[in-house]
Amino acid sequence: MSRLFTAFARGVTARPRLALATLAVVAVALGSGLAILGEQADNTVFLPDDSEVALAGEQLSELFPDSAGLTGVTILHRGDTLTPAGLAHIDAVIAETVAEPSIAERLAITEPVVSLAAIYRQALGVDDLSAVAQDQIDQATAALSDDEAMATAIAGLSGEADGDGLVISQIRLRELGDPDGLEAAELLVADLVADVDGPLDVRSLSAATIDEESAESSSSSMSTLMFVAFAVIVVLLLLFFRSGSDVALSLAGLGITVVGTVGFQGLVGPDGLGLIGLPNSITTMVPIMLIGLVVDYAIQSVAHYREIRADGATVGVAARTGLLGVMLPLGLAAGTTIISFLTNLASPIPANQDFGIVAAFGVFFGLVTMLTLIPAARTILDQRSEARGSLAEARLMTDAIPGAGSVIARIGEFVARQPMVALAGAAVLTVALGSAATQISTEFDTNDFLPGDGDSLTDLAALDEALGGQTEVVTVLIEAELTDDRTLRNVLTLSEAFVDELSRPTGAASGITASLGSLYLDWNTDSGEPGDNHDPGLAEIAATIDQGLTLDPDGVQRILDRLEANDPVGFGQVAINDPDGVDRTLIQFNALTGDQDRTEQMVDDIDGLWFGPRDQIVATSGEIVGLEVTTAMTDSQSSSIAITMVAALIVLMLFFWATEFKPMLAVIAVLPILLVLLWVLGTMTLLGIPYNVITALITALSIGIGVDYTIHIIHRFTHEVDHGRSLLDATKTTLATTGSALTGSALTTALAFAVLLFSPLAPFRQFGLVTGITILYALVVSVVVVPPMLIVWAAYHEWRAGPSEPATGPSERSAGEAGADVDTGDDRARPSVAAT
């Protein structure tokens, strides 16, 4: 390892122009991936790959394209709707929309359009609603309200939101095996309805319009937030560096890192190597995260280079020695961060897996960029000034925040004199926040990815107010032999449960809207009216198949054949009768959305109504998908945390054993991070922040940042003890120097993430807040928990070693000497570690 570090440091500083040229070539190559990056994926990437719900959804779309493979477009009409002009406007919007060829070919076969205007045209017996009088509409309204079925239908289409009338129309479109074409059709509907002139405010709402607004908001807000983050970094770096060239180099390094990482995402994406999916809502956060993480590498590099120059070294020696000094601690810190991000590969959620890959590469590339760019560029710039005799004196960065050193030194003195008190206080806080963490919410709502002031969220809120809540179609897929007596009885039992509102599954907002049983009743029930679908033959066949305890399979098959012959289209929408394979049928009903607990109970109720094998039945809908994502994420996080902690522990134990024969230091570096996790989760509970697919990423981030801080403290403390400091002096010096610098680093990282608080998307704001809390807690355990643990550890080793001669090393150092290895664990006087 020492040879690798030495070769890298010598190559960068001895041939700086070649190093910069190589970095430029790599950056350009990675940047080429920007051209094939692709658009942001929809929220289906949050569904686990092996999910029953995902598989059922795919099967339904493929097997029942005219009933389950449909998408609904909701058109909202706001204003004075129940007027001649209002109803005529609604009618014109629908007419012009469905007349578009690309939309007409995708219309559902049954009930393609539901419109209030159509109901009034039929009730009034007219074709042109603009020609009727207002009193005619009022009379029709009164007449329709007396008809229970029509009154229910109208109530489901009209209401009031924000004091204005609101009427919805619905258009159902088929996918036809072309999801991209379906998305284009939905977006075309949005354009068409907005172009129809009339007195009403008209807008459409669909999966495509929601996804488009979410993607545009994420992209535009991230661009803005990245600019703000860069501005914050500029201010902080100017404060810390007081050098324009160092600020420029750091910003250049950040720019190269971001461009290279985003380009990498394109190169390994669907249009490149195909190793990951399209960008998604959480991979868009990676650039912001990298700005906060990678800038620390720049600060460490510049600080160490200046410290060695301040000791009188030439530019070449300072650049090479400084680079060697930071490669070890920064490599360890970055390595544990990369490991923590890569544990997302164990997640069942594709979006999390992609995030882990992209973020891990970004950290690696950022480390390489900063350890190449800054030493190489400083060598070129400063050697030129050195040759001219105009090289300015190096400015030390001993106090990133003025006055922080003295405050943290006093903290160091306290924890050194009362280590058990500090550890006991941490234990009490852990118990309190750990108890709160057990009550954390795991709610997940894809609507949270919509901007709060956007059209989609406004329309969704209007639907809630006007129609008493949103509903969605739930489709239950049943895979079983339909002629089997048990299957048929289970289907009938499930169907009968929906007849009575009291026996319906929790959250069901209607009876069954489509099923094989409904189709049978439509053809078998004699209404006594001419032109109905009554089929006496079905009743005769049904009378022959009842054998008491069982049903005759041949008789059931004859009923299925008769239904399919009578209505092949209707039968194909609800059942597939495959004599040589597994039969499939579906049941559809409307359900309320917006409450995951209610949705979970609904799924349990449906399962409870099916008395056959559990794998024969799967319910799916948008809300159930969200429930599946939350469940999968929650189930996977415990193992992910354990994997990350164990991996970091193993890596650090191997390192500390190989370099210092002190593997216990790895435990001291990793164990406090478990406290950070518990504190963060407990604080999230108290603040009402849910643990969802976004905030769950804090797990990886807290381990990466936390281990980074603890490693720096451990290196500096052991360095001081090895050079003769007492435990009290070693602790005070460590916190006054390295602790102070870490405070500045934490401030830089936290403020870079804090810009997410200005995001229009709630999950990103939550992520920014929780990340700031995480950084604060990581800093606290580094200066309050780690030093007492080190003192106990060191005291134990002194006790085991027995009485010995007093250390001959200096007991005090000047402030300048103490600051010489501020935040990198300077090992210039410790060749055994630096050479590792």
Side-chain angles (χ1 to χ4, degrees):
M1 184 182 294
S2 62
R3 291 181 179 178
L4 178 63
F5 283 179
T6 302
F8 182 85
R10 183 177 293 114
V12 169
T13 58
R15 295 181 176 85
R17 289 177 175 80
L18 178 61
L20 292 177
T22 302
L23 178 62
V25 170
V26 173
V28 170
L30 290 172
S32 65
L34 293 171
I36 56 174
L37 183 59
E39 297 181 356
Q40 182 172 307
D42 60 31
N43 290 326
T44 58
V45 294
F46 293 111
L47 194 63
D49 286 327
D50 59 350
S51 164
E52 287 184 350
V53 174
L55 180 60
E58 293 174 0
Q59 289 180 317
L60 285 166
S61 296
E62 179 181 350
L63 299 173
F64 301 99
D66 294 332
S67 54
L70 299 174
T71 186
V73 178
T74 300
I75 302 175
L76 292 82
H77 313 267
R78 291 181 174 87
D80 294 329
T81 53
L82 292 182
T83 63
L87 290 172
H89 190 192
I90 295 173
D91 218 17
V93 166
I94 298 299
E96 294 197 26
T97 301
V98 300
E100 171 63 34
S102 61
I103 295 173
E105 67 180 3
R106 293 183 177 274
L107 290 175
I109 294 176
T110 58
E111 294 189 353
V113 177
V114 177
S115 167
L116 186 66
I119 294 176
Y120 273 86
R121 272 196 291 106
Q122 183 177 4
L124 293 170
V126 298
D127 293 328
D128 184 4
L129 287 168
S130 65
V132 301
Q134 182 63 51
D135 60 344
Q136 291 177 280
I137 293 176
D138 295 339
Q139 292 172 9
T141 301
L144 291 170
S145 64
D146 292 335
D147 185 318
E148 183 177 352
M150 294 305 300
T152 301
I154 293 174
L157 297 174
S158 60
E160 191 172 288
D162 295 329
D164 290 330
L166 174 66
V167 167
I168 65 169
S169 302
Q170 293 180 322
I171 299 177
R172 299 200 303 164
L173 303 175
R174 295 176 292 167
E175 184 179 280
L176 298 179
D178 180 15
D180 292 337
L182 176 61
E183 179 181 357
E186 292 178 15
L187 295 176
L188 179 58
V189 170
D191 293 335
L192 290 173
V193 302
D195 289 340
V196 179
D197 293 332
L200 303 180
D201 178 18
V202 184
R203 201 158 55 216
S204 79
L205 184 69
S206 65
T209 59
I210 290 175
D211 288 341
E212 182 181 55
E213 184 174 5
S214 175
E216 289 179 353
S217 177
S218 296
S219 177
S220 62
S221 64
M222 280 302 158
S223 299
T224 302
L225 293 176
M226 281 186 59
F227 175 79
V228 175
F230 266 102
V232 171
I233 293 299
V234 168
V235 173
L236 292 175
L237 291 182
L238 283 173
L239 174 65
F240 298 157
F241 290 158
R242 291 164 292 173
S243 166
S245 60
D246 282 330
V247 172
L249 289 175
S250 299
L251 293 179
L254 290 177
I256 292 172
T257 299
V258 170
V259 171
T261 302
V262 177
F264 167 82
Q265 189 174 359
L267 292 176
V268 299
D271 294 330
L273 298 177
L275 301 179
I276 65 174
L278 291 168
N280 59 67
S281 299
I282 56 178
T283 58
T284 58
M285 291 196 304
V286 171
I288 294 281
M289 295 176 61
L290 292 179
I291 292 174
L293 292 172
V294 175
V295 71
D296 185 52
Y297 305 154
I299 294 175
Q300 304 279 14
S301 299
V302 172
H304 215 73
Y305 168 72
R306 290 185 180 184
E307 290 159 10
I308 298 175
R309 266 199 56 216
D311 283 346
T314 63
V315 169
V317 172
R320 182 172 63 255
T321 307
L323 181 54
L324 276 172
V326 297
M327 286 177 70
L328 183 63
L330 290 185
L332 279 176
T336 53
T337 304
I338 290 170
I339 290 172
S340 64
F341 281 133
L342 288 179
T343 57
N344 282 282
L345 292 175
S347 172
I349 301 173
N352 282 12
Q353 297 171 11
D354 293 349
F355 167 82
I357 293 173
V358 176
F361 176 83
V363 171
F364 169 76
F365 184 58
L367 177 67
V368 172
T369 296
M370 290 303 186
L371 294 186
T372 301
L373 176 64
I374 290 180
R378 284 262 61 101
T379 298
I380 294 173
L381 295 174
D382 292 349
Q383 280 185 338
R384 186 179 303 164
S385 298
E386 188 178 44
R388 293 197 302 259
S390 59
L391 182 63
E393 183 179 350
R395 295 179 176 179
L396 291 176
M397 295 172 57
T398 55
D399 232 351
I401 301 178
S406 60
V407 173
I408 297 180
R410 287 194 290 271
I411 295 175
E413 182 171 0
F414 172 78
V415 299
R417 295 184 183 279
Q418 303 289 339
M420 301 311 296
V421 173
L423 292 177
V428 171
L429 182 61
T430 300
V431 170
L433 291 179
S435 299
T438 62
Q439 306 299 318
I440 193 168
S441 170
T442 57
E443 293 182 358
F444 174 76
D445 188 349
T446 55
N447 289 339
D448 288 340
F449 288 100
L450 297 175
D453 57 351
D455 291 341
S456 295
L457 209 56
T458 301
D459 292 341
L460 289 170
L463 290 176
D464 282 342
E465 181 182 354
L467 304 181
Q470 302 172 60
T471 62
E472 65 175 355
V473 175
V474 176
T475 303
V476 181
L477 174 64
I478 300 170
E479 296 182 287
E481 177 58 49
L482 293 177
T483 59
D484 188 298
D485 175 73
R486 292 171 300 175
T487 300
L488 190 57
R489 290 187 185 278
N490 282 332
V491 170
L492 293 175
T493 299
L494 186 59
S495 301
E496 290 170 358
F498 281 81
V499 175
D500 188 348
E501 291 185 6
L502 297 178
S503 61
R504 288 176 187 166
T506 302
S510 71
I512 289 177
T513 57
S515 72
L516 185 61
S518 301
L519 184 67
Y520 171 78
L521 292 175
D522 287 345
W523 281 95
N524 193 45
T525 302
D526 186 3
S527 65
E529 298 178 0
D532 63 9
N533 289 333
H534 174 56
D535 183 356
L538 280 174
E540 294 173 2
I541 297 173
T544 67
I545 66 174
D546 190 349
Q547 299 177 351
L549 296 178
T550 62
L551 300 178
D552 173 26
D554 293 335
V556 175
Q557 185 63 56
R558 290 197 300 275
I559 286 184
L560 296 176
D561 293 341
R562 187 64 167 261
L563 285 173
E564 188 171 10
N566 286 344
D567 187 359
V569 174
F571 187 86
Q573 290 181 335
V574 296
I576 294 178
N577 183 23
D578 186 356
D580 300 323
V582 178
D583 294 339
R584 295 177 177 87
T585 187
L586 61 78
I587 294 175
Q588 286 184 326
F589 62 93
N590 295 319
L592 298 172
T593 64
D595 187 334
Q596 281 201 337
D597 291 337
R598 182 175 59 205
T599 300
E600 184 176 13
Q601 185 59 54
M602 178 186 69
V603 173
D604 291 341
D605 290 348
I606 293 172
D607 289 343
L609 291 170
W610 185 258
F611 297 101
R614 173 63 187 83
D615 59 0
Q616 289 183 337
I617 182 172
V618 180
T620 181
S621 70
E623 193 82 357
I624 294 175
V625 165
L627 177 63
E628 183 85 355
V629 169
T630 299
T631 302
M633 177 206 65
T634 304
D635 292 343
S636 68
Q637 283 309 308
S638 296
S639 59
S640 177
I641 292 173
I643 291 172
T644 304
M645 299 290 282
V646 170
L649 184 62
I650 291 174
V651 170
L652 292 176
M653 287 187 75
L654 290 174
F655 166 75
F656 284 117
W657 176 81
T659 59
E660 305 184 50
F661 301 104
K662 299 172 182 176
M664 189 62 187
L665 289 175
V667 178
I668 298 176
V670 175
L671 183 60
I673 309 309
L674 182 59
L675 305 186
V676 173
L677 290 175
L678 292 175
W679 294 1
V680 169
L681 294 176
T683 304
M684 288 170 60
T685 303
L686 298 178
L687 295 177
I689 299 175
Y691 186 70
N692 53 39
V693 293
I694 296 295
T695 53
L697 301 177
I698 294 299
T699 300
L701 197 60
S702 60
I703 294 174
I705 292 175
V707 172
D708 186 353
Y709 292 175
T710 59
I711 285 174
H712 286 309
I713 294 293
I714 290 171
H715 266 280
R716 185 55 183 264
F717 179 87
T718 56
H719 172 75
E720 297 296 332
V721 171
D722 286 350
H723 287 78
R725 291 274 190 165
S726 67
L727 297 183
L728 174 60
D729 288 341
T731 303
K732 291 171 60 178
T733 302
T734 296
L735 294 189
T737 54
T738 301
S740 176
L742 287 179
T743 303
S745 177
L747 175 64
T748 305
T749 306
L751 288 179
F753 280 106
V755 300
L756 290 172
L757 293 173
F758 300 99
S759 171
L761 308 182
F764 291 176
R765 294 196 299 271
Q766 294 170 352
F767 184 84
L769 176 59
V770 174
T771 302
I773 295 172
T774 300
I775 294 169
L776 171 63
Y777 287 163
L779 180 65
V780 168
V781 298
S782 296
V783 300
V784 176
V785 177
V786 173
M789 293 179 68
L790 288 170
I791 289 171
V792 173
W793 167 79
Y796 171 73
H797 278 278
E798 287 184 358
W799 172 77
R800 286 193 61 186
S804 61
E805 292 297 324
T808 58
S811 60
E812 299 291 341
R813 290 195 298 171
S814 67
E817 291 172 326
D821 45 5
V822 174
D823 46 16
T824 61
D826 179 45
D827 298 309
R828 283 172 286 133
R830 191 183 185 192
S832 62
V833 176
T836 301

